[in-house]
Amino acid sequence: MNPSAILENRRYLAPPSRWKMVWQLVWKETRQLAPLIAMLVLISIGLNCLAFMIRQVESSGKLRSVAFLGLPTLFAAGVGAMLVGQERETRTLHWMASLPVPGSLQAWIKLLIGAFGLIAMWVISLAIVCVSSFTAQGNFAVTGDEFTYYLLHSVFLLVAGLACAWYFHNTLVGLLGLVAVTVLITLVDSWLADSFWSASDGVRLMVQLAFCAVALVALRVASYRAYRPQRVVRTKSRANETMGYFDQSFGYAKILTPRYALLWQFSKQNRWILLAITALCAFGGILLAYNSFFDYGIRDGQDTNPVALGCFLIACCGLGVIVFQGDSLHQRVRFLADRGVSPGMVWFSRHAIPFSLLMTFTIITAAIGIYSIVGTHDSNQDRRVMQFALLGVAAYAWVIYAVSQWASQALRSAIVSTIVCPIVAVVPFAYGAFVVSECETPIALLLVSCVIPFIATYRTTQQWMELRVSKRFWIEHGIWLTMAIVIPLLPFFYSYLTYPTIAPAQRAKLQADAELFRKSYSASNRINFWVDPNDVSPDAGGDMMGAGSGMMAAEGGGMGMMIAGGDDAESVADASVPSADAKPVSAWDPPSGFASNVLGYSNTTSGLNRLPIAERMAKRVEHIETQMASFFPGTSIEESHETMQLYNDTTLLRMKLQGPKKTEADQDLYRRAMKNMLAICKGIRSTPSLDGQRTADRYDAWLFNELNQKEAKDFLGQELLRDLDGYLRDKRTRQDIRYKAIVLDWFKAKNSTSQVGQIGRFDLAKPFTSVRWKTDRAIDQVAWNLTQCLFTHDLAKQDAIRQEVGRFFMNGNSRDSIRSPCGSWFGKWETQIDALKLSKEAAQ
Amino acid sequence: MKAIQQTALTRSNHLAEGIMAAKKPGIRGKLRWVAWLCLIPFAVVLVFGIWLANREWKASRLLHAELTQLKAQGQPLDNEAWAAWFDAHTHKEGTDAWLEVLSLSEASSRIAPDLPFVGEVFVPIDITPGMEWPGEPRVAEFLEVFDPLILKIHEAVEYPTPVWWPIQWGGVETLLPQYQESRSVCRLLQLKAMHSLWKKDTEEALKSIKSCLATASAVDSKTIWVTDLVYLAEVAIAHEMINRSLRMDVWNDQQLETLSKWLSQQREPIESWKSCLAGERNMALTIDDDYTSRDGFSGLEALKYIPRLPSDDLRILQYYQSMMDLANGGMAGLPERCSKWSARWEEEYFLRSPFSYSTILLTMLYSSVPQLATAYERVAIQQQLTKTAIAIKRFQKANGRFPNALNELPSPDWPLVNWSINKRTPLIYEVEEGLAKLSYEGGPGAAFPLTVSGAPEHNHFRANAFEIVIR
């Protein structure tokens, strides 16, 4: 023989390098995990996208938190099934054991790859969340403690999952065993935490570590057992028994009935899984009953026990998965296909048992919910509503089942579908929430979508039985999936196409004007009156209690020093204007204790000031005069406690002047107060917001009312009357500022993300605020109608537009336009102001 | 060979046929498992569905008839109808005047927290005309500023009542600020009356009492229980003003007669009770399925997740109708009857269908009904006691002495109420040291701490106790 050939043969015959062996094993295990990683990453991205789509209803960030924590947790739970269970399924485990590769090495490599994979999944999950945080709104609801807990929990799941996979011969049973162990550990952990060391997180983490250590020992034992040479056990073959036994046990004739045979076969081949699922449901039911009857869980204001819900979720997923995966294991379904069993009968026989189990579960859950209320004579309303929501769990179970059975047919691997189903089952709920909240889909239409998975699996059962996973198979599933997605959107498409809006040219005009006005208006030009240096809360003014209540003074409105700014975060002002920087606009510095010393305000009666009330009124007038002197001309003023108090004082002064006890000092004070009120009215009028304009209308109406009073003209003097006359008769300025208010509030409403459903603090009626796009169109229509109302001279048309606008607002109707922005326009005072003839010039 | 094979085949065929013939099960045997597994749950659901559909179909027919009848009676069942109903049952003539008065009166409480009645200071019981009253200068100075407003109030009460207010109707979340703030008008009048009595200006005090009663009439639109509670509170303020005045011995015969006449002119409580509960019923029916709370998630908002069936609306109607009928037995003992009825309702309906829309909604609402009944009875008792006290005073003026027993009083004034109906405690009348005292502890309600500044420590307001001292 050629020496070189001998050397070559020796090279092949020599034992392989240990490192090369390790490297090959690592490569193999990594390849095995790749589908699971890809699937989970895709699902996580999908959930984050959904969280973004339903950000209006899901502002708490819970869905993103679920995606963040769920990705590594599911991976950890699935590693055992993927690395060990899959090898059992393909029967390569014992083939590997026959090779000169130590079983312990294989076990350790699997654990090592699982651990590296877990680290990678946490990193990927974190990266996805970081990216989604740039776009999504709301909080991300995971605390540091929770993160640590779930991190350790995932390590436990990884080790325990591998141990279960090594121990159990059936993969699905192994996964359910892992669920049972996890539930048990969680309960023990909660019990220990509640009973002994609730205050110490450190001890709790130590307990988690202890659980991990125990799981590691179990893993070692189970893997050793798996690679141990199998014992040959002679079992009694029932098939070789006498016909009598066979007949007695199963019924020969019954087996000849295909329907019954299929049912029998399903129940036999899945008996352990069905038993495990029933046990899981029973366990969840016991927890639920414990919650309901023994003053635990939601009765203390907590949510329904999540462990019970988790059990139900996994049980329903399990039921869905075994519908088709029970036959996919070891390609059992070929047996049926080869014998020409009807696909329809196969479909029905696979669904019958899970379906009836689910129905029973629904009835029992409902019974527990009802009896927990009736039996315990509980009258707590919140709790009863929660219990009702619990009944919804039974309904959700059907959706989870429908999706799971679909996934179990579409995915070839039983293991992948088992791991993926719990998280895929969340997708229809997220999608349902999206279409209901954003597209206003009727719930009934969602029910149609829930039926489609059953139709889809029925239609494709034959292809599935014949293992024909061709393009046609996927196209057919794709069509059904598309139908399930599109059907709930049909009403949205229809209403989006037919919903009224304004012309693009009209919108462009509003946009152009808004851009123009934004440059000339700065929020820092707005001021409030503040009088209490200890109360700097920028919540001035406050809403009037009850719209249209005239000059009704309202609670609220802080009292503090005079500051600038105070507009909300989404100011119409340019971003360059630092509106949040509230600074004093003047050097005016109120004396310490001004509120209690001068105005007599105090929260307690012990420190009350004894200053006479008449003197306090005079001080207030003086105080506002001082502040007004420091304002720049054209400064906007926001209605506040002080402004309301001033017009109350002014009215009381005028009433006093109309009586017999009037004095010169009172008359002078009244004149000064009216002068202040005129300045305040001008300041409020110059606020370019619809709410401000409405307030200005009230203040102007009050001015008009004051001037209409007997002898009022005599008290005020010609100079002030001329100013009042000039202000009230200046219709052009009033119209201009109203138009500016419409346009700026329109712009703000269109670009606001926090005050959706409002235009200038006026709430739109519910039908127009149900979804954002409808709100936007309603805002367009309102703004355009307001501009039309403003500039039309036809009174009938004005009324018609006012009624049309009133329709858009909360409880607005043709009779009552109190909450409409234009409800106070062109009121009695505005139409009669010309007839008042205040000053001599006007009289001439 | 062939024959042997044929024989064997024939035997095996016979054996198979025999087995099949012997063991072939009937249809019952075939379906037994399937029936157990599938049919029973389906049958349960089917029977339940048929029963539910039948019940709701019957309920919808009855409900339709009831709602048609209510609409024919002009009962408001939506926000627009509420606005129309309110327009039709109120008067707009005095609205402007009242709005001005309300605004300024509400301001009075803010600027004088250190005064009795309008502020938060405890009111001393014994204010004797002409004698020292430490807080009087402060009160006088305050009233000097607010006298023009009080004049305006006296003018406003001349307008027809009840008054129309600009209310934005929004179902159960309708804000009623004017009703709430009208109490500040009464408090201002109460201060004015006390000060006038201290000055022995009985005409002015009489005007204040009259205006207080008229303010109550201005808000007496019999809309819902909140508006009715405001009315009752304001009437109670007027009663308190009269009761305090009787301790001062300031009224003449004619004034006492006038006071007695005003008290007799108060509204018919049974009719008010019914119309108020009708309003509550209409509000409950006004709640739409898409209700959104103004103040975040509330119990009512949770109702949107619960199906609203015709039987629910029917039950709401029946519940309120039975509550209205409770008043047919008279106002005395009404709170007890309400409580008993509520308890019975809870036993019968709440336990029968704990998850229904109507149960959850009504359980939220019904707790307020016994409270309203309590307020009704309290004011009724207070009114009768006040009238009795006036009758005692008039007897004293006529005879120069207090009556030895209440049965000495003339018939129209006494007895006007059957005090024994509640069987709580008897009405006590006693004369000591020139003072007559009427006391009664049988009213509804309980004691609660009085947290008013200046009040004696551990002072408790006893809602069920009444005491009138007549000088």
Side-chain angles (χ1 to χ4, degrees):
Chain A
M1 186 179 278
N2 188 351
S4 61
I6 292 170
L7 285 174
E8 187 71 16
N9 283 342
R10 276 183 184 173
R11 203 168 65 197
Y12 280 117
L13 292 172
S17 151
R18 192 175 180 82
W19 286 113
K20 191 172 181 183
M21 190 191 298
V22 169
W23 173 247
Q24 291 293 339
L25 281 173
V26 166
W27 175 243
K28 178 180 76 74
E29 307 300 350
T30 313
R31 286 284 300 272
Q32 274 179 244
L33 280 181
L36 180 65
I37 294 173
M39 185 74 75
L40 289 175
V41 169
L42 279 176
I43 289 171
S44 179
I45 292 171
L47 284 177
N48 276 286
C49 290
L50 269 173
F52 174 72
M53 287 161 78
I54 59 170
R55 60 193 181 281
Q56 301 296 342
V57 289
E58 213 280 315
S59 57
S60 60
K62 278 186 182 166
L63 192 57
R64 285 190 298 140
S65 310
V66 166
F68 172 64
L69 298 173
L71 181 65
T73 306
L74 277 176
F75 175 81
V79 162
M82 290 301 288
L83 296 185
V84 181
Q86 205 171 24
E87 290 210 37
R88 277 192 201 281
E89 197 180 323
T90 53
R91 299 173 184 178
T92 56
L93 199 64
H94 288 288
W95 176 75
M96 288 289 291
S98 70
L99 298 177
V101 183
S104 59
L105 179 68
Q106 289 184 49
W108 283 116
I109 292 287
K110 285 180 193 298
L111 178 63
L112 195 70
I113 292 301
F116 275 118
L118 185 61
I119 294 167
M121 291 309 281
W122 274 112
V123 172
I124 292 169
S125 190
L126 197 63
I128 292 172
V129 161
C130 287
V131 171
S132 74
S133 297
F134 289 117
T135 52
Q137 283 199 336
N139 301 319
F140 180 60
V142 177
T143 61
D145 287 343
E146 279 177 341
F147 176 73
T148 316
Y149 177 79
Y150 278 99
L151 186 66
L152 283 175
H153 199 62
S154 66
V155 173
F156 170 77
L157 278 177
L158 173 75
V159 180
L162 278 165
C164 285
W166 284 117
Y167 186 80
F168 292 104
H169 290 278
N170 187 314
T171 311
L172 294 179
V173 173
L175 280 169
L176 287 171
L178 175 64
V179 170
V181 169
T182 310
V183 168
L184 194 67
I185 292 297
T186 308
L187 285 179
V188 170
D189 182 38
S190 321
W191 176 70
L192 289 175
D194 289 344
S195 308
F196 298 104
W197 46 72
S198 56
S200 170
D201 287 334
V203 178
R204 197 170 180 195
L205 293 180
M206 292 301 289
V207 170
Q208 283 285 327
L209 284 173
F211 286 147
C212 291
V214 171
L216 206 58
V217 173
L219 166 65
R220 180 73 186 98
V221 171
S223 62
Y224 174 75
R225 180 176 169 273
Y227 279 108
R228 201 173 48 182
Q230 283 187 315
R231 283 187 300 162
V232 178
V233 179
R234 183 177 295 279
T235 54
K236 200 157 76 174
S237 170
R238 290 180 178 181
N240 295 333
E241 289 291 324
T242 60
M243 184 66 80
Y245 173 82
F246 193 64
D247 183 34
Q248 186 187 351
S249 177
F250 309 117
Y252 174 66
K254 287 178 190 171
I255 292 173
L256 291 181
T257 310
R259 266 177 305 189
Y260 185 76
L262 287 169
L263 277 177
W264 167 82
Q265 182 227 354
F266 182 84
S267 63
K268 277 292 172 189
Q269 74 187 15
N270 295 307
R271 60 186 180 279
W272 292 112
I273 302 170
L274 285 170
L275 273 175
I277 287 171
T278 311
L280 207 60
C281 278
F283 180 71
I286 290 167
L287 279 183
L288 200 64
Y290 185 70
N291 277 345
S292 304
F293 301 138
F294 296 102
D295 202 13
Y296 178 78
I298 58 172
R299 191 169 291 202
D300 299 330
Q302 300 170 12
D303 206 344
T304 312
N305 194 327
V307 179
L309 290 178
C311 287
F312 292 146
L313 172 74
I314 290 165
C316 294
C317 283
L319 280 177
V321 165
I322 60 166
V323 169
F324 294 109
Q325 291 297 350
D327 289 318
S328 289
L329 276 174
H330 310 307
Q331 299 186 351
R332 287 167 184 160
V333 72
R334 275 191 174 175
F335 175 85
L336 302 175
D338 291 347
R339 280 151 187 80
V341 179
S342 154
M345 193 173 288
V346 169
W347 188 90
F348 278 111
S349 64
R350 268 51 198 154
H351 272 294
I353 293 173
F355 215 72
S356 53
L357 271 178
L358 210 55
M359 186 73 85
T360 312
F361 164 72
T362 307
I363 292 171
I364 290 173
T365 313
I368 288 175
I370 291 168
Y371 186 75
S372 67
I373 300 299
V374 177
T376 53
H377 289 227
D378 196 341
S379 59
N380 184 326
Q381 288 307 308
D382 292 339
R383 183 173 139 70
R384 286 203 292 149
V385 172
M386 287 300 295
Q387 285 287 27
F388 189 86
L390 197 63
L391 294 185
V393 171
Y396 297 155
W398 288 94
V399 179
I400 294 168
Y401 173 72
V403 175
S404 303
Q405 59 93 32
W406 198 357
S408 77
Q409 194 190 62
L411 298 171
R412 303 307 298 177
S413 166
I415 297 158
V416 172
S417 55
T418 308
I419 296 164
V420 163
C421 270
I423 205 155
V424 168
V426 178
V427 174
F429 295 111
Y431 182 68
F434 164 68
V435 292
V436 169
S437 66
E438 299 292 313
C439 306
E440 299 182 295
T441 300
I443 303 284
L445 219 50
L446 286 179
L447 296 180
V448 174
S449 283
C450 290
V451 175
I452 285 181
F454 293 107
I455 301 172
T457 51
Y458 180 80
R459 295 284 307 168
T460 50
T461 297
Q462 187 172 355
Q463 294 173 61
W464 166 75
M465 284 173 70
E466 293 165 0
L467 302 179
R468 285 190 288 124
V469 187
S470 58
K471 273 185 191 170
R472 191 184 156 194
F473 178 79
W474 291 113
I475 287 172
E476 200 162 336
H477 271 303
I479 289 170
W480 288 112
L481 181 64
T482 310
M483 281 176 70
I485 292 169
V486 169
I487 284 175
L489 293 173
L490 290 176
F492 163 73
F493 291 141
Y494 175 76
S495 93
Y496 193 82
L497 292 173
T498 56
Y499 203 77
T501 184
I502 58 173
Q506 294 164 344
R507 196 177 297 114
K509 176 168 171 39
L510 290 172
Q511 181 74 30
D513 288 345
E515 294 292 343
L516 186 71
F517 294 148
R518 283 176 69 214
K519 287 174 186 164
S520 62
Y521 172 68
S522 163
S524 64
N525 286 337
R526 295 177 67 183
I527 63 110
N528 297 320
F529 291 102
W530 302 94
V531 290
D532 186 355
N534 297 318
D535 183 0
V536 291
S537 154
D539 182 22
D543 289 335
M544 302 299 273
M545 288 186 70
S549 59
M551 305 300 269
M552 198 68 64
E555 296 298 335
M559 296 174 289
M561 45 192 275
M562 179 179 64
I563 61 166
D567 206 352
D568 47 66
E570 293 180 355
S571 166
V572 292
D574 280 347
S576 57
V577 178
S579 60
D581 289 340
K583 294 175 187 169
V585 294
S586 75
W588 180 78
D589 187 17
S592 175
F594 184 83
S596 57
N597 293 334
V598 179
L599 299 182
Y601 291 113
S602 175
N603 290 331
T604 61
T605 51
S606 58
L608 283 176
N609 180 267
R610 311 299 295 178
L611 206 61
I613 289 166
E615 202 170 320
R616 272 192 251 171
M617 289 161 81
K619 285 279 181 191
R620 189 170 9 252
V621 171
E622 185 184 333
H623 161 62
I624 289 179
E625 267 175 359
T626 313
Q627 292 186 73
M628 295 300 293
S630 64
F631 293 170
F632 299 107
T635 305
S636 299
I637 294 175
E638 195 163 304
E639 186 187 36
S640 66
H641 179 92
E642 278 296 282
T643 59
M644 288 188 283
Q645 198 61 54
L646 183 66
Y647 72 60
N648 282 330
D649 289 354
T650 314
T651 313
L652 285 170
L653 278 168
R654 188 254 304 154
M655 286 177 175
K656 190 178 178 188
L657 288 174
Q658 287 172 327
K661 294 181 182 173
K662 64 180 175 187
T663 62
E664 278 296 319
D666 288 340
Q667 192 167 334
D668 180 56
L669 189 62
Y670 176 67
R671 192 181 304 118
R672 285 166 58 200
M674 279 297 281
K675 195 174 173 185
N676 281 346
M677 282 305 295
L678 174 61
I680 286 170
C681 287
K682 283 181 179 174
I684 294 175
R685 176 61 74 191
S686 64
T687 308
S689 73
L690 289 169
D691 187 47
Q693 291 306 300
R694 188 183 176 84
T695 310
D697 288 338
R698 278 195 290 112
Y699 275 72
D700 288 356
W702 175 85
L703 270 185
F704 177 80
N705 187 49
E706 280 298 302
L707 295 171
N708 252 336
Q709 296 294 325
K710 191 176 64 175
E711 301 170 345
K713 291 179 196 170
D714 301 336
F715 303 145
L716 295 174
Q718 275 304 307
E719 189 185 352
L720 184 55
L721 278 175
R722 193 167 49 246
D723 290 349
L724 284 164
D725 187 55
Y727 168 68
L728 288 174
R729 284 156 63 93
D730 188 2
K731 285 182 186 170
R732 181 168 181 164
T733 308
R734 201 158 47 233
Q735 295 291 79
D736 286 350
I737 193 76
R738 278 174 179 165
Y739 180 68
K740 199 181 273 190
I742 295 168
V743 170
L744 285 173
D745 274 345
W746 169 81
F747 183 85
K748 192 172 165 183
K750 293 277 281 185
N751 295 288
S752 170
T753 53
S754 62
Q755 294 176 341
V756 180
Q758 281 189 340
I759 176 167
R761 291 192 190 174
F762 289 88
D763 296 314
L764 291 170
K766 256 179 253 168
F768 305 103
T769 57
S770 51
V771 282
R772 181 63 200 242
W773 66 270
K774 274 191 182 177
T775 309
D776 281 350
R777 291 193 185 182
I779 286 167
D780 286 347
Q781 290 183 76
V782 166
W784 189 252
N785 278 325
L786 286 175
T787 59
Q788 297 304 300
C789 180
L790 195 59
F791 295 117
T792 185
H793 299 291
D794 183 352
L795 290 179
K797 195 177 173 189
Q798 227 171 48
D799 271 352
I801 295 174
R802 195 178 287 133
Q803 286 188 9
E804 170 65 14
V805 171
R807 189 174 67 82
F808 283 93
F809 290 91
M810 266 188 82
N811 307 314
N813 51 54
S814 56
R815 304 178 58 83
D816 176 8
S817 58
I818 289 169
R819 283 300 296 169
S820 162
C822 58
S824 60
W825 292 357
F826 316 118
K828 191 174 74 176
W829 69 274
E830 223 168 328
T831 52
Q832 293 181 357
I833 191 68
D834 288 333
L836 200 57
K837 296 185 175 29
L838 289 173
S839 61
K840 283 179 182 170
E841 290 86 344
Q844 288 162 5
Chain B
M1 191 64 185
K2 263 189 175 179
I4 294 167
Q5 285 177 346
Q6 186 67 38
T7 310
L9 190 62
T10 312
R11 279 182 181 176
S12 67
N13 284 346
H14 284 172
L15 180 65
E17 281 169 12
I19 289 167
M20 290 181 73
K23 297 292 178 182
K24 190 173 182 181
I27 187 74
R28 194 175 164 189
K30 283 181 190 173
L31 289 175
R32 192 179 58 193
W33 269 78
V34 180
W36 276 110
L37 287 170
C38 308
L39 292 185
I40 289 177
F42 281 117
V44 170
V45 172
L46 190 67
V47 169
F48 177 74
I50 292 169
W51 171 80
L52 191 69
N54 180 48
R55 190 187 76 169
E56 294 308 317
W57 180 68
K58 284 180 180 169
S60 68
R61 288 176 60 194
L62 277 172
L63 178 68
H64 179 72
E66 292 278 347
L67 290 180
T68 309
Q69 197 180 349
L70 285 178
K71 281 180 184 167
Q73 289 169 5
Q75 295 288 335
L77 295 176
D78 57 54
N79 290 328
E80 197 161 348
W82 266 109
W85 179 90
F86 196 65
D87 278 359
H89 290 79
T90 52
H91 302 272
K92 288 186 176 174
E93 294 88 333
T95 302
D96 288 341
W98 272 106
L99 286 176
E100 187 177 41
V101 159
L102 289 184
S103 169
L104 294 169
S105 303
E106 204 274 337
S108 71
S109 61
R110 287 205 308 269
I111 65 171
D114 56 334
L115 292 181
F117 302 116
V118 295
E120 300 164 354
V121 172
F122 181 70
V123 185
I125 295 291
D126 287 318
I127 298 174
T128 312
M131 300 297 282
E132 187 188 3
W133 178 8
E136 191 277 331
R138 184 94 176 131
V139 173
E141 180 263 318
F142 173 84
L143 287 175
E144 189 184 346
V145 174
F146 278 88
D147 267 345
L149 174 61
I150 291 167
L151 278 174
K152 284 276 179 192
I153 296 171
H154 294 331
E155 287 170 22
V157 298
E158 298 301 326
Y159 289 106
T161 58
V163 174
W164 180 88
W165 309 106
I167 293 170
Q168 182 196 354
W169 294 97
V172 287
E173 288 218 338
T174 303
L175 292 179
L176 301 162
Q178 296 85 7
Y179 288 85
Q180 302 291 355
E181 287 165 9
S182 66
R183 284 187 292 192
S184 58
V185 175
C186 292
R187 287 195 287 264
L188 186 62
L189 290 169
Q190 200 175 7
L191 182 65
K192 176 69 181 171
M194 286 307 296
H195 191 252
S196 304
L197 289 170
W198 182 80
K199 291 197 303 183
K200 295 185 181 173
D201 184 356
T202 49
E203 283 304 320
E204 191 60 41
L206 206 60
K207 263 196 220 172
S208 296
I209 293 169
K210 183 188 172 192
S211 292
C212 186
L213 286 168
T215 305
S217 297
V219 295
D220 184 24
S221 52
K222 300 180 184 69
T223 314
I224 51 172
W225 72 278
V226 174
T227 62
D228 235 37
L229 281 178
V230 172
Y231 166 82
L232 294 170
E234 291 175 357
V235 168
I237 289 175
H239 291 161
E240 196 189 336
M241 286 156 77
I242 297 170
N243 294 341
R244 280 178 177 275
S245 71
L246 290 173
R247 190 185 278 266
M248 297 181 192
D249 189 21
V250 288
W251 303 113
N252 60 32
D253 272 347
Q254 194 185 356
Q255 288 166 333
L256 285 169
E257 191 183 344
T258 307
L259 286 173
S260 186
K261 196 174 80 184
W262 286 345
L263 287 179
S264 304
Q265 287 171 348
Q266 293 306 301
R267 66 181 191 174
E268 168 55 42
I270 293 174
E271 186 202 331
S272 304
W273 168 267
K274 287 186 175 178
S275 62
C276 171
L277 281 177
E280 282 291 310
R281 174 199 61 201
N282 298 341
M283 277 286 177
L285 292 171
T286 305
I287 296 174
D288 58 13
D289 298 337
D290 198 20
Y291 174 83
T292 306
S293 172
R294 226 174 260 177
D295 304 321
F297 191 82
S298 70
L300 283 177
E301 201 165 349
L303 285 173
K304 74 168 73 166
Y305 300 105
I306 297 171
R308 182 176 182 171
L309 303 171
S311 60
D312 290 315
D313 282 349
L314 195 64
R315 191 178 298 169
I316 290 169
L317 285 172
Q318 289 166 347
Y319 171 81
Y320 278 106
Q321 187 57 49
S322 56
M323 276 294 187
M324 284 184 233
D325 293 343
L326 285 178
N328 291 338
M331 298 314 291
L334 186 63
E336 283 83 357
R337 291 205 299 280
C338 274
S339 298
K340 275 183 197 165
W341 201 94
S342 293
R344 194 166 69 86
W345 181 84
E346 191 171 340
E347 287 290 323
E348 289 184 5
Y349 292 92
F350 167 67
L351 294 179
R352 199 183 294 167
S353 51
F355 298 118
S356 73
Y357 181 95
S358 56
T359 302
I360 293 174
L361 175 68
L362 290 176
T363 314
M364 284 184 219
L365 299 177
Y366 83 80
S367 58
S368 62
V369 178
Q371 289 173 8
L372 180 64
T374 301
Y376 262 82
E377 198 188 359
R378 264 187 60 76
V379 171
I381 291 172
Q382 198 182 32
Q383 184 180 357
Q384 295 304 328
L385 284 174
T386 308
K387 283 184 74 175
T388 309
I390 292 171
I392 292 168
K393 185 67 191 168
R394 291 177 70 188
F395 183 95
Q396 186 221 16
K397 287 248 175 218
N399 302 298
R401 64 172 179 85
F402 287 115
N404 294 321
L406 289 176
N407 54 15
E408 280 188 51
L409 293 173
S411 176
D413 298 322
W414 172 260
L416 293 173
V417 67
N418 182 4
W419 299 102
S420 63
I421 195 164
N422 297 329
K423 295 181 180 172
R424 293 168 181 138
T425 56
L427 173 66
I428 298 169
Y429 169 70
E430 50 194 14
V431 180
E432 278 180 10
E433 299 172 1
L435 293 176
K437 193 162 83 175
L438 265 180
S439 56
Y440 181 64
E441 295 192 356
F448 53 86
L450 196 64
T451 54
V452 173
S453 167
E457 203 173 350
H458 306 304
N459 198 354
H460 279 65
F461 174 72
R462 297 173 65 199
N464 65 338
F466 302 90
E467 187 180 85
I468 303 175
V469 176
I470 308 138
R471 190 182 293 275

